[in-house]
Amino acid sequence: MSKVGIFVGSVYGNAQHVAEQVQELLNGKQVVSEIYDDPSVDDFKRCDGYIFISSTTGQGDIPPNLEFFVSDLKDLFPLMDKKPFAVIGLGDSSYCDSYCGAGEQLHELLLELQGKPVADMLKIDACETLEPEKEALAYIEPLADEFA
């Protein structure tokens, strides 16, 4: 049975909440998933599909809970062999150049690792929505079959 890893980069808990809602949606569609908020490369290797949900911190940076993991992915470079992935970036468009910078970095890394994007990255703007989980669920629901 396939397993989707939901990798979460969160500072204040918004991305974590979105990840929990996405997992609930996937469970309802009989897609096995696991949330990783302090992942290792071994966790990454055990997955058959990937959903990355990350806020952006600083000047477009990846949240601290994913920094070492991303560094390890870059160093060890475990190829994904065209496994499906999707990225949801949470950000604030008032930060202009760094808006959803963490999500963009993650999307680029997954492409370099030879993953197969099932959709363009979703950017959720904190200036426009107070309930990012609604946008995330609308984005993931039609993609759920890609991860089954």
Side-chain angles (χ1 to χ4, degrees):
M1 180 174 279
S2 296
K3 180 171 96 173
V4 176
I6 303 172
F7 294 82
V8 184
S10 192
V11 177
Y12 298 113
N14 282 343
Q16 182 72 33
H17 175 70
V18 171
E20 290 165 0
Q21 297 297 305
V22 166
Q23 183 180 42
E24 193 173 300
L25 172 79
L26 292 175
N27 288 346
K29 294 189 168 287
Q30 309 305 311
V31 177
V32 176
S33 63
E34 185 171 346
I35 293 175
Y36 298 99
D37 57 11
D38 186 22
S40 69
V41 172
D42 286 337
D43 295 330
F44 185 81
K45 289 178 180 179
R46 284 192 284 270
C47 295
D48 302 299
Y50 308 85
I51 298 172
F52 276 74
I53 302 170
S54 184
S55 59
T56 297
T57 187
Q59 297 297 312
D61 300 322
I62 292 171
N65 71 300
L66 286 185
E67 281 179 329
F68 291 116
F69 169 65
V70 169
S71 178
D72 288 346
L73 285 178
K74 289 177 180 178
D75 290 345
L76 300 172
F77 219 74
L79 294 179
M80 295 169 62
D81 299 321
K82 302 294 180 197
K83 290 179 183 175
F85 76 86
V87 177
I88 299 172
L90 282 70
D92 182 331
S93 62
S94 69
Y95 284 87
C96 301
D97 293 341
S98 63
Y99 172 57
C100 289
E104 290 179 357
Q105 288 180 58
L106 292 165
H107 192 270
E108 187 61 35
L109 176 59
L110 297 172
L111 287 173
E112 288 175 18
L113 294 174
Q114 298 179 9
K116 180 185 94 179
V118 296
D120 291 336
M121 183 181 116
L122 173 64
K123 294 181 178 183
I124 300 176
D125 188 354
C127 291
E128 294 180 6
T129 183
L130 296 175
E131 297 177 292
E133 66 277 4
K134 287 185 178 180
E135 287 185 45
L137 294 174
Y139 170 78
I140 290 294
E141 190 187 12
L143 303 176
D145 290 342
E146 300 281 344
F147 295 104

